[in-house]
Amino acid sequence: MFPPPPGAVAAEPPGLPPPGGVGHGRFSHPDGGGEIRLVRPARPAAEPVLLLMLHGCLQDPQALARASGMDAAAQARGWWLLYPAQPRAANAGGCWNWFDPAQRGRGRGEAAWLADLASAVAERAGVAPGRVVVAGFSAGAAMALALAAAYPERFAAVGAHSGLPPDSAHDLLSALAAMAQAAPDAGAAALPRPVIVFHGEADDTVHPGHGRRILRLRLAAGPAAAAASPGPAPDCERLDGEVPGGHRYVRCRYRRDDGGLLAEAWRVHGLGHAWSGGPAGEALADPAGPDASAEMLRFFAEVLGDASAPR
C-alpha cells in the first residue's frame, strides 16, 4: 500500500505490480481521488522517472495508453507510468476540470489530489524528488499545465498535446468558447517548468492557436517563473520535417543562455484532434504524425540530464 500524503484520509492503490506489469487500484484523498493504472518498468532505469499521464474527455487511462502507445515508449526507457482516471461523478464527460479555479489551484481540488498521488507513488516506487514529469492530452494537457504551474517543485517538466492554458476559461461555458477560438492575448498563466507542446494544425476541437499560446506563455516566464523582466524571446532552433508518407511538421526548440531547454513546440500539418504517431486503428490517434510519445520522453530525458537512449 502506498503511504498516504499529508492530509489524505486514505490511500488505497494496490501494491506495486511485478516488473513489466500493470497494477490497478484506487487513491482516496480529501479533495477527491479515483481509479489509477500503474505501469512498472521491466528493467528500471538507473535513476527512475515517473510520468503522470492525464487522459482527455471521453477517455480513460486504458484508452489514452492505447492511443499514445506510451506504455511501450516508457518501457524502452525503464520509466514508471501512472494514469489516474477522472471519476464520472466529478465530470460527466470524464474531463479534468481544468477550467474551474477551484480544481486547478495549489492545495485544492483535482490539482491537490493529483499532485499528492504522484508524490505518493514516486516515494513508493523509489523515484527521487525532481524526477517526476507530467503530460496529458486535450483536457488532460490543460490539467497537466495547471499542475506544473501550481506545483513546480513536484514536476520537472510538462508535455501538452492538443491542450490549452488552464487560465483560458473560468467555467464550462467559457471553456467551450475557448476551445473554439484562441484569443492571442488572453490569460497570463505562469508556466515555470520546461514544456513540450504538440498540436495539430487541423485540430477542430481545440483551436491550434492554443499550442502557440502555451509556447508564448512559457517563453514569457523565462528561466524561472519569478522573472520580472524576461527580455526578448530566445531564438527558435527550427527543424522542419515530414513523416514518410505522412504529415509535415514544424519543430522549434528554445534554450536558456546556458543551453538548458526552455521549451519545444511541434506544429503538425494535417493532424486533427488526435495523438500524433499513435497506433493505427485507435480512437484519437493518428499514425501519420511524428511520434509524440517518443519525442516527449526524449525531451523529458534532456531536461533531467539523462544521456541514456531507449533500450
Side-chain angles (χ1 to χ4, degrees), residues 121-165:
V121 172
E123 182 178 350
R124 181 70 177 86
V127 175
R131 296 187 65 80
V132 179
V133 293
V134 59
F137 175 73
S138 193
M143 184 55 80
L145 291 164
L147 274 177
Y151 295 93
E153 77 283 4
R154 298 203 201 183
F155 298 98
V158 56
H161 197 310
S162 307
L164 60 172

Side-chain angles (χ1 to χ4, degrees), residues 22-278:
V22 179
H24 299 270
R26 180 173 181 79
F27 185 78
S28 299
H29 189 279
D31 288 290
E35 302 297 321
I36 68 167
R37 178 179 185 270
L38 178 62
V39 185
R40 182 174 183 173
R43 292 189 299 140
E47 295 184 85
V49 175
L50 173 67
L51 169 57
L52 177 67
M53 283 283 286
L54 302 181
H55 62 75
C57 299
L58 304 179
Q59 282 188 321
D60 57 21
Q62 189 61 45
L64 178 58
R66 291 194 305 266
S68 66
M70 189 62 86
D71 285 13
Q75 285 285 0
R77 285 190 177 269
W79 290 11
W80 292 81
L81 273 176
L82 174 60
Y83 298 84
Q86 170 71 305
R88 291 303 173 102
N91 185 290
C95 311
W96 299 102
N97 292 302
W98 57 270
F99 48 83
D100 183 352
Q103 299 296 331
R104 68 180 186 229
R106 186 179 181 92
R108 61 184 185 270
E110 291 166 12
W113 79 257
L114 289 170
D116 284 346
L117 168 65
S119 295
V121 172
E123 182 178 350
R124 181 70 177 86
V127 175
R131 296 187 65 80
V132 179
V133 293
V134 59
F137 175 73
S138 193
M143 184 55 80
L145 291 164
L147 274 177
Y151 295 93
E153 77 283 4
R154 298 203 201 183
F155 298 98
V158 56
H161 197 310
S162 307
L164 60 172
D167 72 336
S168 302
H170 58 273
D171 58 18
L172 180 57
L173 289 179
S174 60
L176 294 173
M179 289 166 61
Q181 183 63 52
D185 57 350
L191 299 179
R193 308 307 294 167
V195 175
I196 180 169
V197 181
F198 267 82
H199 216 117
E201 291 293 285
D203 191 334
D204 60 3
T205 299
V206 176
H207 193 281
H210 285 296
R212 295 186 277 279
R213 274 199 63 216
I214 293 166
L215 177 62
R216 285 196 297 272
L217 289 168
R218 170 61 191 134
L219 297 179
S229 301
D235 293 333
C236 159
E237 299 174 9
R238 184 162 173 167
L239 298 167
D240 296 0
E242 184 172 354
V243 175
H247 297 316
R248 294 182 299 109
Y249 59 84
V250 174
R251 172 189 174 196
C252 273
R253 286 159 61 85
Y254 301 85
R255 297 185 180 276
R256 303 189 304 262
D257 290 342
D258 64 3
L261 282 172
L262 276 172
E264 182 169 320
W266 293 68
R267 294 166 52 189
V268 185
H269 298 279
L271 175 69
H273 197 66
W275 191 275
S276 183

